[in-house]
Amino acid sequence: DTGVSQDPRHKITKRGQNVTFRCDPISEHNRLYWYRQTLGQGPEFLTYFQNEAQLEKSRLLSDRFSAERPKGSFSTLEIQRTEQGDSAMYLCASSTPLAGGRETQYFGPGTRLLVL
Amino acid sequence: TQLLEQSPQFLSIQEGENLTVYCNSSSVFSSLQWYRQEPGEGPVLLVTVVTGGEVKKLKRLTFQFGDARKDSSLHITAAQPGDTGLYLCAGFMNYGGSQGNLIFGKGTKLSVKP
């Protein structure tokens, strides 16, 4: 399977704990995105990388959130001191940038986080 | 405020019926995309429309991009139970030449009953 993979698929944690999610993009893609999706909403952009450089961060990404892509391949998203409002599906997507709005982002299956 | 408004939010129809889902904005997008998402999975791209007025067909699905590149529609002919899912529109905005983020609407949850 050469698609985007995410691990774990499900995570249940207690409020105040730290969690880390991993995303493995499609191997030849140099862009990697993180989104958050809550019930009844579309995905909301969190951050993206081009190779190992983090180029943009949303205001949704509070200082409790940190993302890395150390070697320009896989990425991790860490949430420190989790809160119940962090419960959501965290989606990763990868792409190769194309001009003129023709970029296709390929999404992984997501990690569903539940904070008790 | 939601930059991309989708309507209706929910749609429940019988197999064989036709339907149209709308995606509207007051902003101009360099392109609009339509995704379909199944429960517990990530969105899967159906189509990208780039040119104002563009119409694309994918079997029983017809996608249209508004002339002013502010809106789009998805029409499904003779819906089947396999069409059931969450349909999301998403767009790239022009930021002085760079592509910017992909912005999603809230989605239309379609249920097609046999």
Side-chain angles (χ1 to χ4, degrees):
Chain A
D1 185 9
T2 57
V4 178
S5 61
Q6 291 187 246
D7 184 67
R9 292 291 308 272
H10 303 273
K11 180 71 179 178
I12 301 174
T13 191
K14 292 183 179 177
R15 190 177 51 186
Q17 298 292 305
N18 300 342
V19 293
T20 300
F21 309 141
R22 176 178 169 126
C23 171
D24 286 89
I26 293 171
S27 58
E28 61 267 26
H29 287 177
N30 56 11
R31 277 201 181 167
L32 186 148
Y33 298 80
W34 285 100
Y35 292 85
R36 182 178 73 183
Q37 185 175 24
T38 52
L39 210 58
Q41 301 289 326
E44 296 171 292
F45 169 80
L46 291 178
T47 188
Y48 91 93
F49 293 84
Q50 178 135 329
N51 301 311
E52 65 274 9
Q54 188 173 15
L55 294 188
E56 194 166 351
K57 290 194 281 189
S58 158
R59 283 175 294 179
L60 292 175
L61 212 68
S62 76
D63 56 7
R64 295 184 298 104
F65 287 69
S66 62
E68 293 184 343
R69 194 182 183 199
K71 296 181 181 178
S73 56
F74 73 91
S75 175
T76 57
L77 178 68
E78 182 183 15
I79 309 174
Q80 295 183 326
R81 305 182 302 281
T82 52
E83 300 173 357
Q84 287 182 323
D86 297 331
S87 296
M89 173 83 92
Y90 289 84
L91 291 162
C92 174
S94 71
S95 72
T96 296
L98 292 173
R102 297 177 191 274
E103 175 177 324
T104 297
Q105 296 186 14
Y106 294 86
F107 283 82
T111 295
R112 185 169 290 284
L113 172 67
L114 178 60
V115 182
L116 300 175
Chain B
T1 47
Q2 194 76 18
L3 210 54
L4 279 170
E5 297 281 351
Q6 283 191 244
S7 61
Q9 199 173 346
F10 300 97
L11 193 53
S12 181
I13 61 172
Q14 292 295 130
E15 182 176 2
E17 291 183 15
N18 301 334
L19 67 114
T20 303
V21 175
Y22 299 93
C23 176
N24 294 298
S25 177
S26 57
S27 301
V28 175
F29 286 86
S30 59
S31 68
L32 277 180
Q33 300 182 328
W34 285 91
Y35 289 80
R36 182 164 165 260
Q37 186 176 22
E38 305 258 9
E41 299 295 330
V44 175
L45 181 68
L46 296 173
V47 78
T48 300
V49 284
V50 179
T51 306
E54 183 176 4
V55 176
K56 279 192 175 177
K57 292 195 174 186
L58 192 67
K59 297 183 181 176
R60 294 175 294 100
L61 279 59
T62 302
F63 304 86
Q64 185 159 7
F65 200 10
D67 291 341
R69 306 209 315 275
K70 293 183 179 181
D71 54 83
S72 181
S73 63
L74 158 60
H75 182 79
I76 302 179
T77 304
Q80 298 176 0
D83 295 328
T84 294
L86 179 68
Y87 288 83
L88 294 157
C89 72
F92 287 108
M93 299 188 80
N94 271 325
Y95 291 138
S98 74
Q99 190 148 273
N101 311 327
L102 190 58
I103 296 163
F104 281 87
K106 286 189 177 183
T108 293
K109 196 167 184 180
L110 172 65
S111 173
V112 182
K113 298 185 185 341

